[in-house]
Amino acid sequence: MKKSTIIIIVVVALLAIWGVSGYNGLVTMDENVSGQWSNVETQYQRRADLVPNLVNVVKGYAKHEEQVLTEVTQARSNVAGLKVDKEVLEDPALFEKYQQAQSQLTGALSRLIAVSENYPDLKANEQFRDLQAQLEGTENRIAVARNRYITTVQDYNSYVRQFPQAMTAKVIGMKTKENFKADSSAQQAPTVSFN
């Protein structure tokens, strides 16, 4: 064989190895994003499962705060009605709608916690305190899962946009993923009033 033919074969082999390696890296990172999103959804589901129990316990003690409990139930229903798949993660508008539903539930739960602080007899109830601790723990778990998702998406998006992976990503149709954005109302501290 000629020396030039051998060089061409080596260059083509190196390009093929580079392409396969880049592709495999993209697939691995894409799966990491999906896995981290599953963790976020798991924590959302845990919260959705706890909320009805919390609402039922509180209803027994705070019938006069029915509006807050109704808001929590409605917000939970709104969240439960939204399913997130790969299409939603890649569509900023759908992702924003999902985030808004989660924010609505978080706000309703915050008001419910304020009700418990306003009525000490609720806090004294052991069952309510246990459920409240579970709910607070779940909110913390959601925050941790979101942070891990955010980091994973940042890593993925950086990788997909870097040269030479950007060329491979473009060829196989991989795009950057949508990440969490703070709700516009999150910039202001919530007002709690006991009047």
Side-chain angles (χ1 to χ4, degrees):
M1 267 203 233
K2 292 183 177 179
K3 189 174 183 178
S4 62
T5 305
I6 293 173
I7 291 174
I8 291 173
I9 291 172
V10 168
V11 168
V12 168
L14 288 174
L15 286 174
I17 291 170
W18 167 76
V20 168
S21 175
Y23 174 80
N24 289 341
L26 286 167
V27 169
T28 299
M29 294 190 91
D30 186 53
E31 287 301 315
N32 286 341
V33 169
S34 296
Q36 289 301 329
W37 180 251
S38 292
N39 289 338
V40 172
E41 284 188 314
T42 298
Q43 296 310 319
Y44 283 158
Q45 184 62 50
R46 184 175 189 271
R47 176 171 66 177
D49 292 344
L50 278 174
V51 168
N53 293 328
L54 178 60
V55 169
N56 287 334
V57 169
V58 175
K59 274 184 179 179
Y61 292 95
K63 292 184 182 195
H64 53 282
E65 290 297 331
E66 190 69 31
Q67 179 184 358
V68 172
L69 300 174
T70 301
E71 287 177 17
V72 170
T73 303
Q74 180 61 43
R76 185 224 177 242
S77 296
N78 291 345
V79 168
L82 296 173
K83 298 297 178 204
V84 177
D85 55 17
K86 189 173 184 170
E87 181 180 311
V88 171
L89 294 177
E90 293 175 357
D91 184 337
L94 292 175
F95 192 77
E96 176 68 23
K97 182 178 178 183
Y98 187 77
Q99 277 188 267
Q100 286 174 352
Q102 290 296 338
S103 294
Q104 180 185 16
L105 180 57
T106 299
L109 292 173
S110 295
R111 287 188 294 283
L112 181 61
I113 299 299
V115 167
S116 74
E117 291 170 355
N118 196 23
Y119 297 98
D121 59 320
L122 291 179
K123 286 178 71 174
N125 181 285
E126 185 178 318
Q127 197 173 23
F128 179 79
R129 279 185 302 178
D130 290 347
L131 287 169
Q132 185 176 6
Q134 286 289 326
L135 186 58
E136 289 169 354
T138 298
E139 291 299 318
N140 289 335
R141 289 177 186 199
I142 288 171
V144 168
R146 281 180 178 170
N147 286 336
R148 288 180 181 157
Y149 176 78
I150 288 167
T151 301
T152 303
V153 169
Q154 286 172 336
D155 292 345
Y156 171 83
N157 287 346
S158 294
Y159 189 79
V160 166
R161 294 175 55 213
Q162 291 174 358
F163 183 81
Q165 295 88 343
M167 294 182 343
T168 305
K170 189 171 186 168
V171 168
I172 61 176
M174 290 185 130
K175 300 175 184 173
T176 58
K177 305 280 186 191
E178 189 68 21
N179 216 333
F180 279 102
K181 294 178 187 145
D183 192 12
S184 60
S185 65
Q187 295 180 8
Q188 295 179 344
T191 304
V192 178
S193 174
F194 297 112
N195 295 332

